[in-house]
Amino acid sequence: RSSSVNGSRRPVWPLILVALLGAGKVLIPTVSLANGAEMQRLALGLYNVPRDQVKAVIDAGLEAGLRHFDFASFYDNEAECGMALRSWLKEGHSRSELFVTTKVWTTDLGDPAAAVRSAEISIDELGLGAVDLVMVHWPMPGKHVAAYVALEELVRSGKAKALGISNYSPADYEELMESASIPPLVNTFENNPLLYRKEWCDFFQEQGVVVQAYKPLQRGGPVLNCEAVQEVAGKSGRSPAQVCLRWNLEKGNAVVFKSLTPSRIRENVEVFDFALSPGQVGTLDALTTEEVKAEAQSHWEQRRSGTDAPWGPGLRPEKRMLEEAGRS
């Protein structure tokens, strides 16, 4: 759904709630998913977080008010992620406060049963009961539809509350929906001022699929040093990172970011008390070049065709066991 605001298309969310997460915590808005679940519009991603730093990063996220966490088999740290969140739950918190996503990597998409096995290992390693969202990580040609359809059984059996997709183009989604019985609720893909996938954002919002942008800061890349971004940041009294995050939020997207630094995690959460002007949004919209789009398309084609995981080219290993006091 969308409306016209000052001549520009703005998405209209059916319901936006604000969760107060305790004294000193930032108010982080949530979006209502089609299954009725509330998902914070900011998520902390654990990609490239070393296993021995997972707890510190998750603790910093929780302290900043984040309750939405983005995991994946490919990140190869889900056992540590689960342990960190279970430790927090033992302090008296409720599982219902959390929204947890996992994903199935391309090495496990070749056979539908392997996709289900991978998701079940993730669910088991996390040890949080049913996960809120299971995603197909990349739309592998000739494989992703059958894998997704097989994963629907996890929703029917109660092991997952919903399904999502990751890195899906509009064409991939249309192919999927010819066979899917349980529609995906979220699609996550790279989106930032230097790679604005406007057509994708518009398409999925029109389909009622929540867009979640990843690499909103290009992992500390060129977007933060872009002159236009820095100029907007200076005029707004905000950091370039906050401007980039706010830009995606202005598009109606949810956003997943990653940081190892507690102070930056806190800074990245503090983006709901200011807004960009239509002119500033337009300036940032215009930064994406055809060259960048072509580079992104090449990377996308390579990834979706299948890439080795941290464990190699084959199926993911069996569940990793971690020692944990009080848990058998």
Side-chain angles (χ1 to χ4, degrees), residues 241-260:
Q242 288 174 318
V243 166
C244 290
L245 292 165
R246 185 68 208 180
W247 174 84
N248 252 308
L249 292 167
E250 297 273 345
K251 301 297 181 188
N253 300 334
V255 188
V256 55
F257 71 87
K258 171 240 175 175
S259 177
L260 299 177

Side-chain angles (χ1 to χ4, degrees), residues 256-325:
V256 55
F257 71 87
K258 171 240 175 175
S259 177
L260 299 177
T261 309
S263 61
R264 288 181 178 168
I265 291 173
R266 288 194 300 272
E267 175 188 305
N268 291 348
V269 168
E270 293 172 350
V271 291
F272 295 102
D273 58 349
F274 77 104
L276 302 176
S277 71
Q280 290 173 326
V281 171
T283 295
L284 300 180
D285 288 355
L287 296 176
T288 300
T289 66
E290 291 303 317
E291 181 183 3
V292 167
K293 286 183 179 180
E295 291 175 358
Q297 181 69 16
S298 176
H299 172 75
W300 181 78
E301 293 286 1
Q302 178 185 11
R303 278 294 205 191
R304 76 193 300 254
S305 66
T307 343
D308 287 359
W311 56 81
L315 301 180
R316 72 177 295 181
E318 296 297 330
K319 174 187 174 183
R320 290 193 301 116
M321 303 291 291
L322 301 179
E323 291 186 10
E324 181 177 0

Side-chain angles (χ1 to χ4, degrees), residues 126-309:
L126 289 169
L128 299 167
V131 292
D132 298 278
L133 206 58
V134 172
M135 291 181 166
V136 174
H137 210 144
W138 285 91
M140 199 173 186
K143 305 292 184 182
H144 72 95
V145 172
Y148 182 99
V149 170
L151 291 170
E152 291 180 338
E153 186 55 37
L154 296 176
V155 177
R156 298 187 185 101
S157 66
K159 294 181 180 179
K161 298 177 184 178
L163 298 182
I165 49 181
S166 177
N167 299 296
Y168 272 56
S169 69
D172 294 319
Y173 173 82
E174 289 175 338
E175 179 191 11
L176 174 64
M177 292 310 294
E178 292 177 1
S179 302
S181 299
I182 299 175
L185 304 188
V186 180
N187 184 18
T188 183
F189 52 82
E190 183 177 357
N191 196 64
N192 56 66
L194 291 188
L195 181 59
Y196 179 22
R197 286 186 162 116
K198 183 180 188 304
E199 295 80 8
W200 288 24
C201 291
D202 290 348
F203 173 86
F204 285 104
Q205 288 174 358
E206 288 167 359
Q207 297 298 318
V209 178
V210 173
V211 172
Q212 179 171 277
Y214 72 76
K215 287 180 71 174
L217 313 178
Q218 291 188 317
R219 300 186 185 130
V223 72
L224 298 184
N225 297 315
C226 174
E227 183 177 348
V229 171
Q230 292 191 339
E231 183 176 341
V232 171
K235 291 181 178 178
S236 304
R238 298 288 174 151
S239 70
Q242 288 174 318
V243 166
C244 290
L245 292 165
R246 185 68 208 180
W247 174 84
N248 252 308
L249 292 167
E250 297 273 345
K251 301 297 181 188
N253 300 334
V255 188
V256 55
F257 71 87
K258 171 240 175 175
S259 177
L260 299 177
T261 309
S263 61
R264 288 181 178 168
I265 291 173
R266 288 194 300 272
E267 175 188 305
N268 291 348
V269 168
E270 293 172 350
V271 291
F272 295 102
D273 58 349
F274 77 104
L276 302 176
S277 71
Q280 290 173 326
V281 171
T283 295
L284 300 180
D285 288 355
L287 296 176
T288 300
T289 66
E290 291 303 317
E291 181 183 3
V292 167
K293 286 183 179 180
E295 291 175 358
Q297 181 69 16
S298 176
H299 172 75
W300 181 78
E301 293 286 1
Q302 178 185 11
R303 278 294 205 191
R304 76 193 300 254
S305 66
T307 343
D308 287 359

Side-chain angles (χ1 to χ4, degrees), residues 3-21:
S3 66
S4 178
V5 179
N6 295 327
S8 63
R9 239 173 124 270
R10 293 288 183 92
V12 177
W13 295 102
L15 179 63
I16 296 289
L17 299 177
V18 173
L20 178 59
L21 298 168

Side-chain angles (χ1 to χ4, degrees), residues 61-81:
L62 291 165
E63 179 61 28
L66 288 160
R67 300 293 182 266
H68 179 187
F69 295 92
D70 183 75
F71 304 142
S73 63
F74 183 74
Y75 304 166
D76 206 27
N77 56 14
E78 288 187 304
E80 288 76 13
C81 292

Side-chain angles (χ1 to χ4, degrees), residues 26-47:
V26 171
L27 295 171
I28 301 179
T30 67
V31 58
S32 287
L33 302 182
N35 66 346
E38 295 296 326
M39 185 182 83
Q40 280 186 336
R41 291 185 63 200
L42 279 184
L44 185 61
L46 274 290
Y47 177 57

